[in-house]
Amino acid sequence: MKIAIACDLEGNVFPGHFAHAPKFRIYQYENGQLRLLKERENPLGSLPDYDEHHGHEITRLNADFQGEEMPPAHGLPKYSWLRSKVLPDVDVIIAGGACQTSYRYFTSQGVKMLFTEPVEVSALEEYIASDPVSFEEALRQAE
């Protein structure tokens, strides 16, 4: 199972909405063991959550999408973009928070969502390694 932890730049669980995290740490979890695979940058992480109906726009002047089409700025299209471009292969997201729309979208895609305080990611890794039974119970309850 692949797990994404929404992170800030200092190595903590991102304290707000996971879609605004600047990066995600991607792990493989098997047999009670968590193994870091990679870190993924989140192009949405540096953008405000503007609603297009308020006249705000994301432009190439204020964002770098590495030559790809600019993502939608709000709502389901934004979360669909995040799923397909940044988190296409994850089964679980661990974060500090989410809105109802993102929660419903990702869980409808089969992704489990777990929420925690903005602790150091290393402390979360240690907790999972020291008590995989409790972690796996939390995963079951997230269904």
Side-chain angles (χ1 to χ4, degrees):
M1 146 184 346
K2 281 195 182 170
I3 298 173
I5 300 179
C7 302
D8 66 16
L9 297 176
E10 290 78 38
N12 301 307
V13 173
F14 189 72
H17 193 302
F18 74 95
H20 298 283
K23 64 183 177 179
F24 292 93
R25 287 190 183 168
I26 309 298
Y27 297 84
Q28 184 68 44
Y29 182 78
E30 290 178 311
N31 302 318
Q33 301 293 315
L34 196 61
R35 182 172 49 93
L36 179 64
L37 300 175
K38 64 180 105 177
E39 284 193 358
R40 292 187 188 153
E41 298 298 317
N42 178 14
L44 298 177
S46 63
L47 300 177
D49 190 12
Y50 287 136
D51 184 328
E52 62 189 87
H53 302 293
H54 292 131
H56 301 289
E57 295 180 5
I58 295 172
T59 69
R60 291 204 184 276
L61 297 176
N62 65 8
D64 178 14
F65 300 108
Q66 302 162 347
E68 293 202 22
E69 181 179 319
M70 291 181 289
H74 189 72
L76 285 175
K78 173 182 175 178
Y79 304 125
S80 177
W81 186 93
L82 183 64
R83 175 73 170 146
S84 68
K85 301 289 186 182
V86 181
L87 302 171
D89 55 346
V90 301
D91 305 297
V92 178
I93 296 172
I94 299 176
C99 68
Q100 288 184 11
T101 304
S102 62
Y103 180 86
R104 287 180 183 151
Y105 175 77
F106 275 84
T107 57
S108 76
Q109 297 290 304
V111 177
K112 296 178 183 181
M113 305 283 297
L114 297 177
F115 300 102
T116 184
E117 297 296 319
V119 297
E120 291 182 18
V121 173
S122 60
L124 187 57
E125 293 169 343
E126 290 171 17
Y127 164 74
I128 293 169
S130 70
D131 194 357
V133 172
S134 293
F135 178 65
E136 290 172 17
E137 179 60 27
L139 290 173
R140 279 190 291 281
Q141 290 178 8
E143 294 178 353

